[in-house]
Amino acid sequence: MTHALKQDEIGERNWQRLISLAELEPGSVKLVRVTGKQIAVFNTPDGIRACDNRCPHEGYPLSEGSLSPDCVLTCNWHNWKFNLNTGDNLLGGDRLRTYPLELRGDEVWVDITDLPYQQRYTAVIDSLHDAFDDYSYDRIAREIARLVRLGADPFDVLRLAIDWSWQKMEFGWTHAYAGMADWITLYQENRRNEELKLVCLVESV
Ligand code: FES
């Protein structure tokens, strides 16, 4: 049941009691709150599985999604699909966070340890690359928000956008380059307005 995580990369793990087996009949799903996180836990034909309850698209509760016998979880809001065993996105865009689990007696425990900063940063940057390649502007906006929440340099996204796009210039400029300096100025003039800062970053790319 336990997913593979490299202990030496993570340090001390944060295991929390999730639910008792008696509360989770085969085929059922429960929403459990663990130290402020909403976790959806499923009793599937493949075993117990747990993931973030919030869909990474627009936050619909995945405990109200549909689970197929082969462990594909469908968000019923916009039909995104996830492999519940791995968190891989099968239709849509962003990955779903799944959690390592462990059976202790008749209780299920969950490891809610966050991955090290560098691994989370790299995952966001990789996803931004995919979003640029797909011209998926809503996904770009979500990944920028994740980058900011991570505490990374928000201007990394501008560097990434330039690095991704400069070789395409022979095919024409986008309006983003022309407006970038003004958006950065607006960003710097509104350092306490988190929403506006996010808009500035998204519009810059
Ligand atoms: S909120 Fe889940 S697919 Fe849109």
Side-chain angles (χ1 to χ4, degrees):
M1 186 186 298
T2 305
H3 295 210
L5 287 177
K6 293 180 182 169
Q7 177 77 50
D8 56 343
E9 291 177 0
I10 294 174
E12 196 155 331
R13 291 185 172 187
N14 186 1
W15 285 97
Q16 301 283 333
R17 181 190 179 280
L18 185 62
I19 197 168
S20 73
L21 280 177
E23 298 173 82
L24 198 61
E25 293 180 359
S28 69
V29 54
K30 288 278 166 58
L31 168 61
V32 184
R33 288 181 174 77
V34 179
T35 63
K37 289 182 186 295
Q38 287 190 27
I39 296 179
V41 52
F42 301 79
N43 191 343
T44 81
D46 291 352
I48 312 292
R49 297 289 181 268
C51 67
D52 275 340
N53 187 47
R54 295 287 175 202
C55 176
H57 182 215
E58 292 185 359
Y60 184 87
L62 290 170
S63 55
E64 297 177 22
S66 303
L67 187 66
S68 70
D70 57 349
C71 244
V72 173
L73 176 61
T74 298
C75 177
N76 289 338
W77 202 245
H78 307 104
N79 199 39
W80 279 25
K81 295 184 186 299
F82 307 93
N83 180 335
L84 188 56
N85 288 321
T86 63
D88 289 342
N89 188 302
L90 306 175
L91 184 70
D94 318 6
R95 279 182 59 81
L96 173 66
R97 181 174 181 182
T98 55
Y99 291 91
L101 299 173
E102 199 170 272
L103 199 54
R104 300 182 183 179
D106 65 352
E107 292 185 335
V108 180
W109 283 63
V110 61
D111 181 0
I112 58 171
T113 311
D114 286 328
L115 291 173
Y117 171 86
Q118 194 56 45
Q119 272 180 260
R120 285 182 287 156
Y121 176 84
T122 301
V124 172
I125 294 297
D126 288 349
S127 191
L128 264 171
H129 267 293
D130 291 343
F132 281 137
D133 288 342
D134 292 343
Y135 297 92
S136 174
Y137 295 105
D138 60 332
R139 186 174 177 190
I140 290 171
R142 287 192 301 275
E143 296 301 352
I144 291 175
R146 290 181 182 123
L147 198 72
V148 169
R149 191 174 58 188
L150 197 53
D153 180 351
F155 290 157
D156 279 0
V157 71
L158 309 187
R159 299 182 188 99
L160 186 70
I162 292 169
D163 188 51
W164 175 83
S165 60
W166 69 270
Q167 287 172 314
K168 301 174 173 51
M169 280 184 175
E170 64 178 298
F171 305 109
W173 287 54
T174 74
H175 74 279
Y177 273 22
M180 189 177 282
D182 289 337
W183 285 113
I184 292 173
T185 301
L186 191 62
Y187 177 100
Q188 289 173 328
E189 288 174 352
N190 292 275
R191 288 200 169 268
R192 292 189 177 171
N193 187 333
E194 297 301 328
E195 280 182 29
L196 180 57
K197 281 169 35 186
L198 202 51
V199 170
C200 292
L201 291 171
V202 174
E203 290 291 342
S204 295
V205 299

